[in-house]
Amino acid sequence: MAGPPRLTDPDTVPGQPAATQPPAAQPDSGHVPVGRATIMDVAAASGVSRQTVTRAMNGMSGISASTKQRVLAAAEALHYRPSRFGRGLVTGGDHQLGLVVNDLRNPYTPQLAAAVVGLAAEQDWNVMLADVDLVSDPDRMVAALGSQTDVVIGYFGSRRDRWNDLLGTVPMVELDPATEPPTGAVWIDPTDAIEVLADHLVATGVRHPVVLDNSEPDVPSARGALMLAALRRRGYLPEIVHGRHGTAECGAEETERILGRRRRLDAILAFNDVMALGVLSACRRAGVDVPGDVRVVGVDGLPLGALVTPTLTTLAVDLDAVARQALDLALGMLDRSLPRSGASVQRTVRHRLLLRESA
């Protein structure tokens, strides 16, 4: 009686027995392609046909476990990802870009998203956006985003390493990382602008500045710490107030508390423009003249700051430049002209002092 049918790999390279198929590709095996790896590169590296690669990558039957493992190892070594065309996930354009943001209710976020979408359109990219602060399972959302996009950029925060593992071979570009990133990154650096601002406060006679930070008690944010250090180097003894939320409401509430203590102050440096708008509102309700009694400064350079009275002085950042640097890194990582990590995939965009009526 014939035994059970033997599992065969019909798409194994003809003339080469399965037992002698080449081992999984290694980065230095000679199979590393120039530019983005294709399904044919994986087939050549693992010694199988294109159809067998398709079966292995999609978990289909008809190939042995050892062949599947060999193909998957070659795909990983070559940083190959299956074509979205084959998976039916493309809605147009050459590339899909995933954008991770924190909170679309913050005016900074749609401003950034608009910059990314506009520049992506010029490159024939589509953008898929994930707001990870407004969902119950951000890990699941990021994993789904990675399965449908070629590269993911955005704000990752403390979840960066976990999401890097979740995304696997999908390149990542982090915006404004808090620490040295394991991926590509665009740093958004206010250091120089804060120094210019501190000199401006000295020149205009400010004596009692307050830093209104968005941070937990006794733990300044990186931005707040830079402000405090710049002021102290110029002989100030600045007070820091910790606001738990970077919102206009929080800015207004904390300003009311500051004014209610009737301590001397003549400048409030807010963590961002949104909090600074709350500061302006609280000062107006309290009858405090800005900038006559108190100068007010924000950070970000949002267009909203030019629409209020008095117009808001701010440390402005060019979000178009941020988006451009991030997309350039993304393209380089995709076509493999740039590595996935290291100094060559890091860029810096700096703030500048934009003087308006409030200071």
Side-chain angles (χ1 to χ4, degrees), residues 12-284:
T12 296
V13 173
Q16 190 169 19
T20 61
Q21 292 290 306
Q26 300 299 322
D28 59 352
S29 66
H31 292 298
V32 177
V34 176
R36 191 178 180 191
T38 69
I39 191 171
M40 297 308 297
D41 295 318
V42 178
S46 52
V48 300
S49 70
R50 183 179 187 276
Q51 290 78 8
T52 297
V53 175
T54 298
R55 289 189 177 99
M57 298 302 296
N58 290 282
M60 300 166 65
S61 61
I63 62 174
S64 68
S66 61
T67 297
K68 178 180 178 180
Q69 183 59 38
R70 187 167 68 249
V71 171
L72 294 179
E76 181 177 0
L78 297 173
H79 300 299
Y80 168 73
R81 297 186 64 228
S83 167
R84 290 176 290 103
F85 290 87
R87 298 202 306 267
L89 295 172
V90 167
T91 57
D94 293 332
H95 293 292
Q96 293 280 100
L97 171 69
L99 176 61
V100 175
V101 297
N102 292 324
D103 188 350
L104 282 167
R105 296 167 297 187
N106 184 331
Y108 175 88
T109 303
Q111 196 72 28
L112 170 68
V116 171
V117 170
L119 288 172
E122 295 177 5
Q123 301 278 356
D124 292 326
W125 286 52
N126 293 314
V127 177
M128 300 182 67
L129 185 144
D131 187 333
V132 293
D133 276 10
L134 298 180
V135 295
S136 58
D137 190 348
D139 288 356
R140 182 179 178 183
M141 172 172 276
V142 169
L145 191 69
S147 71
Q148 301 180 62
T149 57
D150 295 293
V151 65
V152 174
I153 70 173
Y155 286 87
F156 307 137
S158 61
R159 296 171 284 201
R160 174 181 67 194
D161 292 336
R162 185 165 74 250
W163 288 349
N164 191 24
D165 291 338
L166 276 177
L167 292 173
T169 61
V170 183
M172 291 171 58
V173 179
E174 184 173 10
L175 301 181
D176 203 19
T179 58
E180 190 69 24
T183 64
V186 178
W187 300 85
I188 305 176
D189 186 2
T191 305
D192 293 346
I194 287 173
E195 296 292 329
V196 174
L197 171 62
D199 286 338
H200 173 72
L201 297 179
V202 171
T204 53
V206 167
R207 293 182 178 275
H208 305 288
V210 172
V211 174
L212 175 54
D213 201 15
N214 175 206
S215 57
E216 295 297 322
D218 302 320
V219 184
S221 69
R223 184 180 298 173
L226 287 171
M227 290 180 176
L228 292 173
L231 294 171
R232 287 167 180 158
R233 282 195 297 272
R234 288 158 177 82
Y236 289 112
L237 297 174
E239 177 186 1
I240 182 169
V241 174
H242 299 274
R244 290 184 177 273
H245 307 287
T247 63
E249 292 78 10
C250 182
E253 291 170 3
E254 295 299 337
T255 301
E256 289 171 1
R257 293 190 183 97
I258 295 169
L259 296 174
R261 293 186 308 214
R262 301 189 181 281
R263 294 178 59 178
R264 292 181 299 173
L265 79 149
D266 51 10
I268 298 178
L269 282 56
F271 175 83
N272 61 22
D273 284 353
V274 177
M275 294 186 81
L277 294 176
V279 174
L280 291 177
S281 177
C283 287
R284 183 172 61 254

